[in-house]
Amino acid sequence: METILFWGIAALLVIAIFIPYFVKFRRSQAKASSRLEEARSLGIDRPRSQYPQVNRTACIGCGACVDACPEGDVLAVVWGTAEVINGDRCVGHGFCETACPVGALKVGLGDVTSRPDIPILSEQNETSVPGIFIAGELSGISLIRHAVAQGQKVADEIARRCKTDRRTKDYDLAVVGAGPAGLTAALTARKHDVSCIVLDQYDLGGTILHYPRKKLVMTQPVDIPYYGHLDRDEYSKEELLDIWQQVAESSNLDIRPGQKVESIVRMDEGFQLITAGGKTMTAAFVVLALGRRGSPRKLDVPGENLPKVLYKLTDAQSYRNQHILVVGGGDSAVEAAVGLARQPGNKVMISYRKPRFFRIKKKNEDAIARLIGEKKLEACFESQVLEIRESNVLLSTPSGEIEIPNDVVIVQAGGIPPFDMLKKIGIAFGGDSINMAQADDRHQKVSTG
């Protein structure tokens, strides 16, 4: 009798201890499930570039991948399996992949044949147009280390072909874009004694050039040709630009800033590149390292042509004691709003068409939430700019139209990727009529001569 009583009491104690943990677990899983459903309804579970792909049959639901992600909120364990909650936030660090103890997760692009935002590429990053390669963000892969690796890979392949197939053109290689991918391709080409020109519509640095002053850029360790090893996880914008400038000068690269390539025409055994200024040049091979930024997306509202309307913010410290409106809800918009709100005397509002921020990094989300809580920044959700005037801006909001005093408008509504130009050249994207087998067949004919 005493034994039965003992075990009965022990069972009750176990149940009493277990129930709170069970309830907590159920609540956390219900919350994660709700976040997943919300993400799916908003379409933010679908990525814009690479993302974690989970093998559900192998996943043990340990949550190591969730804890390893520095961006936060990309992954969550939902009912025992890792799920992508916010694919847009993934920038491809790959920490989740290395943290998984059973190899159930891989970061990549998935099946690109059905993705209209990703060019179809061969293993050498050659497009469906033989002789034109893509490196960097335009391929769908982010991060500097990936851009450097791709730039090196395409230039190595071009150099291999040049050894047996020298064509009479102005240059062996024309690189369009002077960011990390384009510069690495040019530096690698120089190592192989392949003549090369680099064209960029702005200047050396590519996407990094448009970052705000002192912005930290996550690089992960990487080797830069003619420079050496970048061993830190983060560098400031200014440090990286200085490194690229040193390398470009020491290697005597032929870089032409302010040259926007408007069209590329296939010729016999090569290509003709035509810039916005009407300049033309020919090259046997082309590397497109344009990035995905493209042209700034405009609001198309009255008053947008006023001098106070800007499409990038490079130095928040130059704005003080002003009424500033930031338009957009991505990382660039939030970083601009946070930087401006920290300057003396500024009154900053961020206008976003959605009910809350969805597509931003965890550190940006925390920073803007803190400033909103401290009343140093105002967020106007579900709003749109109707008109920009000399001293104010008219917004539509859920409660009606409002007029706010304004000195400066910073538009950070994203960019229009250069997909149209690529398609005019003949480059195939996922979902196009040309499939990978056809592209591979073309590459085979070119590489074998």
Side-chain angles (χ1 to χ4, degrees):
M1 184 69 181
E2 290 179 359
T3 302
I4 295 173
L5 182 62
F6 169 79
W7 285 111
I9 293 172
L12 288 172
L13 286 172
V14 169
I15 292 171
I17 294 170
F18 175 73
I19 283 176
Y21 287 102
F22 179 74
V23 171
K24 185 178 179 181
F25 171 77
R26 292 280 299 181
R27 285 176 179 169
S28 69
Q29 292 303 290
K31 184 178 179 181
S33 181
S34 175
R35 285 164 54 207
L36 178 59
E37 288 303 315
E38 180 185 37
R40 285 173 175 168
S41 67
L42 293 167
I44 61 173
D45 63 315
R46 297 188 296 273
R48 284 178 290 187
S49 56
Q50 71 272 49
Y51 66 103
Q53 298 158 64
V54 181
N55 181 345
R56 291 177 175 80
T57 59
C59 179
I60 59 175
C62 65
C65 57
V66 179
D67 296 335
C69 179
E71 299 303 329
D73 205 30
V74 174
L75 291 157
V77 176
V78 181
W79 304 116
T81 305
E83 297 279 0
V84 177
I85 297 291
N86 194 335
D88 256 359
R89 272 193 182 160
C90 180
V91 295
H93 299 302
F95 297 143
C96 55
E97 183 176 333
T98 56
C100 179
V102 294
L105 185 149
K106 183 175 178 60
V107 176
L109 292 172
D111 180 12
V112 299
T113 59
S114 60
R115 288 188 60 175
D117 61 326
I118 304 292
I120 294 177
L121 304 176
S122 72
E123 289 186 7
Q124 290 79 34
N125 274 46
E126 190 172 14
T127 69
S128 55
V129 178
I132 296 183
F133 296 76
I134 283 177
E137 283 186 334
L138 196 57
S139 71
I141 301 291
S142 304
L143 289 187
I144 288 176
R145 67 183 174 96
H146 295 310
V148 168
Q150 289 186 353
Q152 203 158 12
K153 178 171 70 173
V154 298
D156 283 340
E157 173 62 18
I158 289 167
R160 183 188 71 79
R161 296 188 191 179
C162 282
K163 286 179 181 178
T164 58
D165 185 19
R166 283 285 182 181
R167 305 175 184 182
T168 308
K169 298 290 180 251
D170 295 334
Y171 302 93
D172 294 323
L173 170 62
V175 176
V176 184
L183 289 174
T184 302
L187 291 167
T188 305
R190 182 161 184 76
K191 274 191 169 184
H192 290 296
D193 196 27
V194 170
S195 64
C196 177
I197 185 172
V198 181
L199 306 168
D200 195 288
Q201 64 175 318
Y202 298 111
D203 205 343
L204 185 148
T207 303
I208 298 171
L209 191 67
H210 302 280
Y211 288 167
R213 192 167 72 91
K214 294 185 178 180
K215 175 181 170 69
L216 290 177
V217 184
M218 185 169 283
T219 62
Q220 296 185 305
V222 66
D223 288 309
I224 306 296
Y226 287 95
Y227 180 82
H229 194 60
L230 298 183
D231 55 359
R232 283 158 39 198
D233 287 339
E234 286 187 331
Y235 287 80
S236 71
K237 165 190 173 178
E238 289 74 14
E239 285 177 312
L240 283 175
L241 289 178
D242 185 54
I243 288 170
W244 289 120
Q245 189 67 49
Q246 289 178 42
V247 174
E249 290 176 359
S250 64
S251 60
N252 200 28
L253 286 183
D254 187 357
I255 301 176
R256 309 285 179 92
Q259 298 294 322
K260 181 180 180 181
V261 175
E262 290 206 326
S263 66
I264 299 174
V265 180
R266 184 161 27 180
M267 304 169 57
D268 292 336
E269 299 185 331
F271 302 92
Q272 181 184 60
L273 291 84
I274 305 168
T275 70
K279 292 183 178 180
T280 63
M281 62 205 68
T282 59
F285 298 94
V286 175
V287 170
L288 298 175
L290 298 165
R292 298 173 73 86
R293 174 186 173 88
S295 305
R297 192 179 300 279
K298 298 193 174 183
L299 302 177
D300 293 327
V301 298
E304 192 171 8
N305 59 343
L306 289 172
K308 70 174 184 175
V309 181
L310 307 172
Y311 296 92
K312 69 176 180 176
L313 175 70
T314 54
D315 188 3
Q317 293 182 5
S318 62
Y319 296 89
R320 299 188 175 196
N321 303 307
Q322 298 194 58
H323 289 87
I324 304 172
L325 175 68
V326 178
V327 183
D331 282 308
S332 296
V334 169
E335 287 169 5
V338 167
L340 291 164
R342 287 173 173 163
Q343 308 311 312
N346 282 341
K347 294 188 180 300
V348 181
M349 173 185 285
I350 183 167
S351 168
Y352 187 36
R353 58 190 174 85
K354 293 192 175 180
R356 63 184 176 86
F357 300 116
F358 293 105
R359 303 175 182 269
I360 59 175
K361 296 181 177 69
K362 183 68 165 59
K363 64 179 180 180
N364 288 336
E365 187 175 43
D366 293 342
I368 197 165
R370 183 166 57 252
L371 288 171
I372 291 172
E374 294 171 355
K375 308 293 185 185
K376 294 180 180 178
L377 190 155
E378 184 180 355
C380 188
F381 294 112
E382 297 182 277
S383 65
Q384 287 186 298
V385 176
L386 296 177
E387 185 178 353
I388 300 170
R389 301 164 181 167
E390 289 286 350
S391 59
N392 56 59
V393 173
L394 186 64
L395 291 175
S396 69
T397 73
S399 56
E401 294 182 5
I402 62 170
E403 192 177 274
I404 59 170
N406 178 261
D407 300 304
V408 180
V409 177
I410 310 287
V411 180
Q412 296 282 272
I416 303 171
F419 293 162
D420 285 346
M421 186 187 83
L422 270 63
K423 289 182 178 180
K424 285 178 183 176
I425 299 169
I427 293 173
F429 286 70
D432 288 350
S433 57
I434 182 169
N435 57 39
M436 197 63 222
Q438 291 172 304
D440 280 341
D441 183 56
R442 291 186 187 181
H443 300 143
Q444 183 81 14
K445 289 175 182 176
V446 171
S447 59
T448 59

